[in-house]
Short mmCIF file of all heavy atoms in Angstrom, two decimals:
data_model
loop_
_atom_site.label_atom_id
_atom_site.label_comp_id
_atom_site.label_asym_id
_atom_site.label_seq_id
_atom_site.Cartn_x
_atom_site.Cartn_y
_atom_site.Cartn_z
N CYS P 106 62.51 -28.52 -97.01
CA CYS P 106 61.26 -27.80 -97.47
C CYS P 106 60.62 -27.00 -96.47
O CYS P 106 60.16 -25.89 -96.79
CB CYS P 106 60.27 -28.88 -98.04
SG CYS P 106 60.85 -29.75 -99.47
N GLY P 107 60.56 -27.44 -95.17
CA GLY P 107 60.02 -26.54 -94.05
C GLY P 107 60.86 -25.33 -93.90
O GLY P 107 60.29 -24.18 -93.73
N LEU P 108 62.13 -25.41 -94.04
CA LEU P 108 63.06 -24.26 -93.85
C LEU P 108 62.76 -23.24 -95.01
O LEU P 108 62.59 -22.12 -94.68
CB LEU P 108 64.50 -24.71 -93.97
CG LEU P 108 65.55 -23.56 -93.98
CD1 LEU P 108 66.65 -24.01 -93.10
CD2 LEU P 108 66.06 -23.36 -95.38
N ARG P 109 62.63 -23.81 -96.25
CA ARG P 109 62.36 -22.88 -97.31
C ARG P 109 60.97 -22.26 -97.19
O ARG P 109 60.82 -21.00 -97.51
CB ARG P 109 62.50 -23.67 -98.73
CG ARG P 109 63.84 -23.86 -99.07
CD ARG P 109 64.09 -24.51 -100.34
NE ARG P 109 63.05 -24.41 -101.32
CZ ARG P 109 63.22 -24.41 -102.58
NH1 ARG P 109 64.48 -24.40 -103.16
NH2 ARG P 109 62.26 -24.39 -103.48
N MET P 110 60.02 -22.94 -96.75
CA MET P 110 58.68 -22.24 -96.55
C MET P 110 58.70 -21.21 -95.43
O MET P 110 58.08 -20.21 -95.59
CB MET P 110 57.66 -23.37 -96.18
CG MET P 110 57.22 -24.30 -97.28
SD MET P 110 55.82 -25.42 -97.03
CE MET P 110 56.01 -26.05 -95.45
N HIS P 111 59.43 -21.45 -94.44
CA HIS P 111 59.60 -20.57 -93.31
C HIS P 111 60.25 -19.26 -93.80
O HIS P 111 59.86 -18.15 -93.52
CB HIS P 111 60.60 -21.18 -92.28
CG HIS P 111 60.47 -20.49 -90.88
ND1 HIS P 111 59.54 -20.85 -89.93
CD2 HIS P 111 61.20 -19.51 -90.35
CE1 HIS P 111 59.70 -20.09 -88.88
NE2 HIS P 111 60.67 -19.36 -89.09
N LEU P 112 61.30 -19.44 -94.74
CA LEU P 112 61.98 -18.27 -95.19
C LEU P 112 61.15 -17.45 -96.28
O LEU P 112 61.07 -16.29 -96.31
CB LEU P 112 63.30 -18.74 -95.86
CG LEU P 112 64.42 -19.23 -94.97
CD1 LEU P 112 65.45 -19.96 -95.75
CD2 LEU P 112 64.94 -18.07 -94.24
N ALA P 113 60.47 -18.24 -97.16
CA ALA P 113 59.60 -17.69 -98.20
C ALA P 113 58.43 -16.85 -97.48
O ALA P 113 57.97 -15.84 -98.04
CB ALA P 113 58.98 -18.68 -99.07
N ALA P 114 58.04 -17.38 -96.31
CA ALA P 114 56.98 -16.50 -95.60
C ALA P 114 57.53 -15.25 -94.95
O ALA P 114 56.72 -14.56 -94.36
CB ALA P 114 56.36 -17.47 -94.53
N GLY P 115 58.78 -15.10 -94.90
CA GLY P 115 59.41 -13.89 -94.39
C GLY P 115 59.73 -13.96 -92.87
O GLY P 115 60.01 -12.93 -92.22
N TYR P 116 59.83 -15.21 -92.33
CA TYR P 116 60.08 -15.27 -90.92
C TYR P 116 61.68 -15.24 -90.57
O TYR P 116 61.99 -15.24 -89.46
CB TYR P 116 59.49 -16.62 -90.32
CG TYR P 116 57.96 -16.62 -90.40
CD1 TYR P 116 57.32 -17.60 -91.13
CD2 TYR P 116 57.22 -15.57 -89.72
CE1 TYR P 116 55.94 -17.53 -91.22
CE2 TYR P 116 55.89 -15.58 -89.73
CZ TYR P 116 55.21 -16.67 -90.55
OH TYR P 116 53.87 -16.59 -90.55
N ALA P 117 62.48 -15.28 -91.63
CA ALA P 117 63.90 -15.35 -91.41
C ALA P 117 64.59 -14.69 -92.57
O ALA P 117 63.94 -14.53 -93.70
CB ALA P 117 64.39 -16.75 -91.08
N ASP P 118 65.85 -14.30 -92.49
CA ASP P 118 66.56 -13.59 -93.60
C ASP P 118 67.48 -14.61 -94.28
O ASP P 118 67.96 -14.28 -95.34
CB ASP P 118 67.43 -12.58 -92.90
CG ASP P 118 66.60 -11.48 -92.13
OD1 ASP P 118 65.72 -10.97 -92.66
OD2 ASP P 118 66.87 -11.33 -91.01
N GLY P 119 67.70 -15.83 -93.69
CA GLY P 119 68.64 -16.70 -94.36
C GLY P 119 68.63 -17.97 -93.62
O GLY P 119 68.09 -18.21 -92.52
N ALA P 120 69.64 -18.86 -94.13
CA ALA P 120 69.79 -20.19 -93.52
C ALA P 120 71.23 -20.29 -93.07
O ALA P 120 72.15 -19.78 -93.63
CB ALA P 120 69.50 -21.26 -94.52
N LEU P 121 71.49 -20.99 -91.98
CA LEU P 121 72.80 -21.22 -91.47
C LEU P 121 72.97 -22.75 -91.54
O LEU P 121 72.26 -23.53 -90.93
CB LEU P 121 72.95 -20.74 -90.04
CG LEU P 121 74.27 -21.03 -89.31
CD1 LEU P 121 75.43 -20.43 -90.09
CD2 LEU P 121 74.19 -20.54 -87.96
N VAL P 122 73.95 -23.23 -92.35
CA VAL P 122 74.23 -24.65 -92.53
C VAL P 122 75.70 -24.86 -92.16
O VAL P 122 76.48 -23.89 -92.13
CB VAL P 122 73.94 -25.14 -94.01
CG1 VAL P 122 72.44 -24.88 -94.30
CG2 VAL P 122 74.82 -24.38 -95.03
N LEU P 123 76.03 -26.09 -91.94
CA LEU P 123 77.48 -26.42 -91.59
C LEU P 123 78.35 -26.24 -92.86
O LEU P 123 79.46 -25.73 -92.71
CB LEU P 123 77.55 -27.84 -91.10
CG LEU P 123 76.92 -28.06 -89.80
CD1 LEU P 123 77.00 -29.54 -89.30
CD2 LEU P 123 77.45 -27.19 -88.68
N SER P 124 77.96 -26.76 -94.02
CA SER P 124 78.78 -26.58 -95.13
C SER P 124 77.92 -26.80 -96.45
O SER P 124 76.73 -27.18 -96.20
CB SER P 124 79.85 -27.78 -95.17
OG SER P 124 79.30 -28.98 -95.49
N PRO P 125 78.39 -26.51 -97.66
CA PRO P 125 77.56 -26.56 -98.73
C PRO P 125 77.07 -28.06 -99.01
O PRO P 125 75.97 -28.32 -99.52
CB PRO P 125 78.52 -26.25 -99.93
CG PRO P 125 79.49 -25.35 -99.30
CD PRO P 125 79.68 -25.84 -97.94
#
Side-chain angles (χ1 to χ4, degrees):
C106 290
L108 174 139
R109 286 184 18 147
M110 287 189 321
H111 198 90
L112 291 166
Y116 296 120
D118 305 302
L121 176 60
V122 301
L123 294 177
S124 75

